[in-house]
Amino acid sequence: MPPKGRIEVKEIICKGCGLCVDACPQHVIILAEDRINAKGYHPAELSLDGCTGCGICAIICPEAAITVYRQVAPAKENQ
Amino acid sequence: MARQLMKGNEAVAEAAVRAGLHAYFGYPITPQTELLEYLSRRMPELGRAFVQAESEVAAINMVYGAACTGSRVMTSSSSPGFSLMMEGVSYMAATEIPVVMINVMRGGPGLGNISPSQADYNQSVHGGGHGDYRQIVLTPGSVQESVDLTVLAFDLAEKYRINTVILSDGSIGQMMEPCELPEMQPLRGVSTEPWAITATMGQREHRMLSSIYLKVSDEEKTNIRILNRWRQIEANEVRFKEYYLDDADFAIIGFGSAGRVALTAVRQARAEGIKVGLLRPITVAPFPVQQVAELSKRVQGILVTEMNGGQMLDDVLRIVKGNCPVEFFARLGGVVPFPDEILSEIHRIAKGPLSVDVDPRSAWLDRMAAIVN
Amino acid sequence: MTSQPITEQVVYQRPEALSDVNTHYCPGCTHGVAHRLVAEVIDEMNLRDKAIGVAPVGCSVFMYNYMDFDFVVAAHGRAPAMATGIKRCLPDRFVLTYQGDGDLASIGMAEIVHAATRGENISVIFINNSNYGMTGGQMAPTTLPGQKTTSSPLGRDVEQQGFPIRVSEMLAKLDGASYIVRRSLHDPKNIRQAKKAIRTAFETQVRGLGFSMVELLSICPTNWNLTPVDSMTWLEDHMIPYYPVGDYKVHPAVAEMKI
C-alpha cells in the first residue's frame, strides 16, 4: 500500500497558477472551477483519493500555500 | 592638545577618525585623494572599515548601506565625483539616515580642472539629486575650521538624520596649516537607534529602511516631514562669522576660501579707513537669512564674492529684496581671487555711485571682459 | 485487529522566515519559489535573527514585505555595494542580496563584479528570467538571441543588440569569488538542487569563506505570454541550453565544507 497523505491549500494566497496540478505525480490536484478566492483566482484543491503526501506540489508552489501531511503507520504491536 | 601642522585633507580624515568614524568608502579624485590615502592607512590600523570602491556610485551606495546600520560613516570626493554620487545622495535623503560627505571642490563644469572652486554651491544647497530634499552644508575657511566642522557634521547628521556636506575646496584641502585636533572619541558599538538596521537578534520585530513610498500620500507625508525637519534646522543651526560689521557702511558676503580672501581685503581697507565688514556664512544651508536681511537694512551696499558665477548671489538677492544695492565679484573655473582684486572692488564700491537697479552679475561680466581678455 | 488512531506527520509547511502575507507576484512567478527556498534555508540554519536582506529594484523590490527579518532597499543595481557597507560595519551579521538580471547584469554590473572580486563575505541570489519583468518585459542583458521582448519586438538581433551575458561563467573567472553556481527552478528536482545550492552559499558566508552567488533560472509567464506550465517547458527548452546548470566556481574550502 502506498503511503496515504493529504494537502491543505491556503486558499487566500493561492493564485491558481496550476503548477501543482501539473506537477502532481498522482494527478489528484485540480483548480476549483466552482469558486474563486478573494483575489479572483480558482484555488487549487485535492480532488481525488490517492495523495501520497510526497510534497512535490509544495516544492513547486510559488506561494508556499500548501501544507503537506502524510499518515504515519500505526505502531505495530504484538505482531 | 598640541597644535600640529597638517594638510587640510588629512586633518579632516583624522578629525573624522577621532569623531568615531566607523567606516569610510571612497574613490580617488584630485584634489581630495589624500583623505582617502590617509584613511587607507589609519582605518585598518584601528580595526575599522575602509573600502576603496569601484566608483563614486558604488562608494556612496556602500555609505548608504553602512549608514542604515546606524554607524558613523563618511565618504569624500571632488566635484565630478559628487555628480556621480547624486543617486545615493537622493536615496539617503529619502531614507532619512545620517551621513557625512566631504566635497573638496574643483573647477568645472565637466572634467574641468583640479584647482579650487566653489561651483558646486547650487548642487549642494539647492539639490543635485532628484526629488525634494534638503541637506546641511558647512563651509570651512581654514584647516582648523575643517577639523571643527567635521566633528560637528557627524553630530548634526545624527541629530536630524540628514545628509551633511562639508563643502570645502582644493585650496583648503591642499594647504598646510597648524591645527588642533579633537580628543579621540570611543567607537560606539552596534547602534541602538530605533530605526537602525542591525538584524533583530531575536530581540524585536523586523525593520525595513528604504526610499520607496509607492502610496503617494505616504510620499507626500515623507516630503512634508523632511521639510518640517528642515524648518527646525533653519531655526536652530544657522552658523556664520562676522568681522568688522558693527559700524560698517559696506558689507562683503563670502563663504569658504572666497570669504577668507575677502577678510584679508577687508583688513587692508579698514587700515585705509574704509568702513567695510564681512559676513562669512559657515552654514550655507541653512543660509543665514536673517543676518543678511538685517545687514541689507543698515549698510549702503553689499558685495557678494564667490568662486563661481554667482550661485550664492542669487540667494542673497532674494533676501535683500532691493533694500540696498548688491554688487558682485568672482573669479571662477579654478581661478582664486587675490586680496588686491577684492580690495579694488571695495575701493570701487566705497567711491560709488551704487544703484539697486543694476544687475550685479551682468555688471561684473562687463568688468571681467577687461580682466579675462 | 484493533483500530489504532491514525497519526500524521507534516511533510511540508510554510517556512517561518516567510511573512504570512500575499505576494504581489503574478501567478506562477518563480520569484515565489526563490523566496521560499531562501526562507527555508534561513530557517534551517537559524539565521533569521542575524539576517539583513538587501532588496533590489525590479519585481522583487518589495521582498522586505515577504521576509520576516531586517531589510533595506537598494538603488537599482547597487545592492552589492549596499551589502558591502552593511557587512563591513556588522561583520557577524548574515547579509544577503536578491537581484534580478536587469539589476545585477546591466546597471549593477560594476557593483557585482567588484563585490565578487573583493571576496566580499555576502551571499547573492540572482534571478535570471531573461527580461525586465517589472517595467513590462523589455530586453535584458540575459535575453536570448532571437527572443522577442517589448524592446526587441522582432527578436534580439545580436548584430545590433549584442549577445546575452552568462553571469555565472563570467564571475567564476574572478579569484575573489568562492561559490558561483547556476540552478533552475523549472521542476521539483531542479528546485531541490537549487535549495541545496542556496544552503551551500549561505554556509559559505557563515563560515567566512567569502563571496557566494546562486543564479536561478526563472520564469516570467506574464511577459513571456505563456502559461506558468508552458513557461517551465520554455525555460527547459530554451534557457538551459544557453545557460547550462552547473557549478562554475567552488573554492576548495567550500568543497570541503560538511553540511
Side-chain angles (χ1 to χ4, degrees):
Chain A
M1 272 272 287
K4 208 168 151 45
R6 66 181 175 93
I7 61 168
E8 270 174 13
V9 178
K10 203 170 181 182
E11 289 203 357
I12 196 158
I13 60 173
C14 175
K15 289 176 184 154
C17 72
L19 288 173
C20 57
V21 175
D22 185 66
C24 175
Q26 307 300 324
H27 310 291
V28 292
I29 305 175
I30 59 162
L31 297 184
E33 299 291 342
D34 61 333
R35 63 182 188 282
I36 55 170
N37 67 12
K39 290 263 183 187
Y41 299 116
H42 296 293
E45 65 177 7
L46 199 59
S47 71
L48 295 165
D49 286 344
C51 173
T52 63
C54 69
I56 282 177
C57 54
I59 288 170
I60 199 106
C61 176
E63 306 304 325
I66 305 175
T67 309
V68 183
Y69 303 90
R70 190 186 298 154
Q71 285 184 9
V72 181
K76 290 171 183 169
E77 293 173 37
N78 308 322
Q79 282 184 11
Chain B
M1 193 163 280
R3 280 154 69 85
Q4 48 189 300
L5 194 63
M6 281 192 93
K7 194 171 200 172
N9 283 335
E10 297 188 341
V12 166
E14 181 59 29
V17 164
R18 294 180 182 214
L21 181 67
H22 192 132
Y24 171 90
F25 308 92
Y27 187 85
I29 183 169
T30 310
Q32 160 275 161
T33 307
E34 296 83 3
L35 221 159
L36 170 109
E37 288 174 336
Y38 185 91
L39 290 172
S40 73
R41 296 188 299 271
R42 190 77 168 114
M43 294 296 274
E45 176 180 297
L46 296 165
R48 306 184 190 182
F50 169 91
V51 179
Q52 180 175 324
E54 56 271 29
S55 68
E56 285 90 347
V57 176
I60 200 73
N61 282 286
M62 289 175 188
V63 165
Y64 185 14
C68 284
T69 69
S71 307
R72 284 204 153 173
V73 293
M74 183 177 92
T75 187
S76 59
S77 189
S78 179
S79 310
F82 255 80
S83 291
L84 279 170
M85 289 186 177
M86 284 303 133
E87 174 187 78
V89 166
S90 170
Y91 279 67
M92 294 186 302
T95 309
E96 301 170 82
I97 47 171
V99 175
V100 172
M101 297 171 273
I102 317 286
N103 184 354
V104 187
M105 289 184 285
R106 65 185 235 183
L111 204 47
N113 54 50
I114 58 171
S115 292
S117 161
Q118 297 182 325
D120 303 348
Y121 176 95
N122 276 344
Q123 187 191 56
S124 310
V125 172
H126 294 303
H130 62 281
D132 251 310
Y133 71 94
R134 299 288 192 282
Q135 55 189 12
I136 295 173
V137 183
L138 305 165
T139 61
S142 67
V143 172
Q144 182 65 58
E145 219 166 51
S146 302
V147 166
D148 298 342
L149 292 181
T150 300
V151 179
L152 176 68
F154 283 105
D155 294 338
L156 290 178
E158 283 173 1
K159 184 174 176 189
Y160 297 101
R161 286 175 62 182
I162 194 169
N163 296 346
T164 302
V165 176
I166 307 268
L167 198 60
S168 180
D169 68 47
S171 71
I172 294 163
Q174 294 296 321
M175 72 169 63
M176 291 190 78
E177 282 187 325
C179 67
E180 196 171 322
L181 290 162
E183 292 291 332
M184 185 69 112
Q185 290 182 32
L187 202 59
R188 288 184 312 214
V190 175
S191 174
T192 53
E193 292 288 349
W195 50 265
I197 296 292
T198 53
T200 67
M201 301 312 276
Q203 305 292 310
R204 56 165 173 78
E205 291 293 294
H206 69 95
R207 285 177 191 154
M208 188 273 289
L209 274 180
S210 132
S211 64
I212 193 168
Y213 294 96
L214 220 53
K215 211 168 131 194
V216 291
S217 57
D218 289 346
E219 183 68 270
E220 188 181 47
K221 269 183 216 153
T222 302
N223 274 270
I224 286 174
R225 184 170 63 245
I226 289 171
L227 287 171
N228 272 323
R229 191 177 307 151
W230 186 251
R231 210 154 53 153
Q232 259 186 332
I233 293 169
E234 284 178 322
N236 299 325
E237 305 300 347
V238 169
R239 286 169 170 80
F240 54 89
K241 286 209 167 141
E242 292 178 312
Y243 307 86
Y244 310 105
L245 279 176
D246 289 348
D247 64 341
D249 293 331
F250 304 97
I252 300 184
I253 303 175
F255 71 91
S257 286
R260 178 175 171 149
V261 175
L263 180 58
T264 307
V266 164
R267 286 190 174 127
Q268 285 172 1
R270 278 277 169 178
E272 295 168 15
I274 302 170
K275 286 186 172 177
V276 60
L278 171 69
L279 175 70
R280 186 163 67 86
I282 302 297
T283 53
V284 286
F287 199 76
V289 173
Q290 203 188 325
Q291 288 69 29
V292 172
E294 281 167 10
L295 207 53
S296 72
K297 288 174 197 152
R298 66 180 165 94
V299 294
Q300 294 166 31
I302 288 175
L303 170 68
V304 174
T305 181
E306 301 179 76
M307 283 145 59
N308 63 49
Q311 298 181 19
M312 184 181 70
L313 170 68
D314 291 331
D315 287 346
V316 171
L317 286 171
R318 202 155 46 219
I319 298 162
V320 171
K321 291 184 187 133
N323 286 339
C324 73
V326 175
E327 291 280 324
F328 181 59
F329 177 74
R331 298 306 302 265
L332 67 170
V335 179
V336 182
F338 285 102
D340 280 358
E341 292 177 272
I342 295 175
L343 185 61
S344 308
E345 286 291 303
I346 296 171
H347 290 155
R348 182 177 66 76
I349 288 161
K351 204 168 125 196
L354 301 175
S355 162
V356 291
D357 297 325
V358 175
D359 172 13
R361 185 184 285 106
S362 188
W364 162 70
L365 279 171
D366 289 344
R367 293 197 302 279
M368 280 297 279
I371 299 170
V372 175
N373 293 329
Chain C
M1 194 170 150
T2 55
S3 75
Q4 299 267 352
I6 296 167
T7 53
E8 278 186 327
Q9 72 179 99
V10 176
V11 177
Y12 184 87
Q13 65 186 355
R14 201 179 162 82
E16 282 181 16
L18 215 51
S19 297
D20 205 11
V21 291
N22 255 308
T23 71
H24 71 289
Y25 298 117
C26 303
C29 174
T30 41
H31 266 307
V33 177
H35 282 23
R36 207 192 67 221
L37 298 182
V38 166
E40 287 175 13
V41 176
I42 294 264
D43 279 3
E44 285 172 17
M45 294 176 66
N46 269 322
L47 286 174
R48 189 151 56 116
D49 290 350
K50 55 191 287 199
I52 299 175
V54 185
V57 171
C59 282
S60 44
V61 65
F62 297 116
M63 189 178 182
Y64 55 81
N65 283 329
Y66 310 138
M67 295 286 158
D68 187 12
F69 50 86
D70 275 13
F71 249 90
V72 296
V73 182
H76 197 21
R78 317 293 177 226
M82 222 178 161
T84 298
I86 294 168
K87 188 75 180 181
R88 294 290 180 122
C89 285
L90 300 171
D92 65 337
R93 302 303 199 262
F94 177 79
V95 181
L96 157 82
T97 78
Y98 185 103
Q99 305 176 255
D101 40 16
D103 189 88
L104 181 143
S106 191
I107 196 166
M109 187 55 100
E111 284 75 14
I112 193 69
V113 168
H114 285 268
T117 206
R118 282 194 305 269
E120 209 65 58
N121 196 28
I122 59 171
S123 303
V124 176
I125 303 296
F126 168 41
I127 304 296
N128 175 357
N129 63 7
S130 79
N131 78 114
Y132 282 82
M134 183 186 242
T135 43
Q138 292 76 33
M139 187 183 73
T142 47
T143 295
L144 296 172
Q147 186 182 343
K148 286 182 181 172
T149 69
T150 61
S151 60
S152 57
L154 303 176
R156 182 175 190 157
D157 174 4
V158 295
E159 295 285 330
Q160 296 295 322
Q161 294 153 323
F163 290 86
I165 296 174
R166 294 185 178 97
V167 174
S168 289
E169 287 86 335
M170 192 178 70
L171 294 185
K173 298 290 179 201
L174 301 171
D175 289 345
S178 295
Y179 184 67
I180 307 283
V181 299
R182 181 183 293 121
R183 297 290 184 266
S184 176
L185 301 178
H186 73 277
D187 64 23
K189 176 173 157 255
N190 278 278
I191 291 171
R192 280 201 178 100
Q193 288 168 351
K195 184 178 167 182
K196 272 190 192 159
I198 293 170
R199 175 75 192 248
T200 306
F202 289 8
E203 293 279 359
T204 299
Q205 178 181 166
V206 167
R207 298 172 196 215
L209 296 177
F211 183 86
S212 55
M213 185 190 81
V214 180
E215 174 176 351
L216 297 171
L217 300 180
S218 298
I219 62 167
C220 186
T222 301
N223 289 312
W224 291 359
N225 294 310
L226 294 171
T227 65
V229 171
D230 290 346
S231 296
M232 293 299 199
T233 309
W234 194 91
L235 188 164
E236 187 175 12
D237 292 347
H238 296 89
M239 289 185 74
I240 290 191
Y242 204 95
Y243 299 114
V245 166
D247 296 354
Y248 290 92
K249 173 84 181 277
V250 182
H251 190 279
V254 174
E256 281 170 17
M257 286 193 311
K258 289 195 176 61
I259 297 169

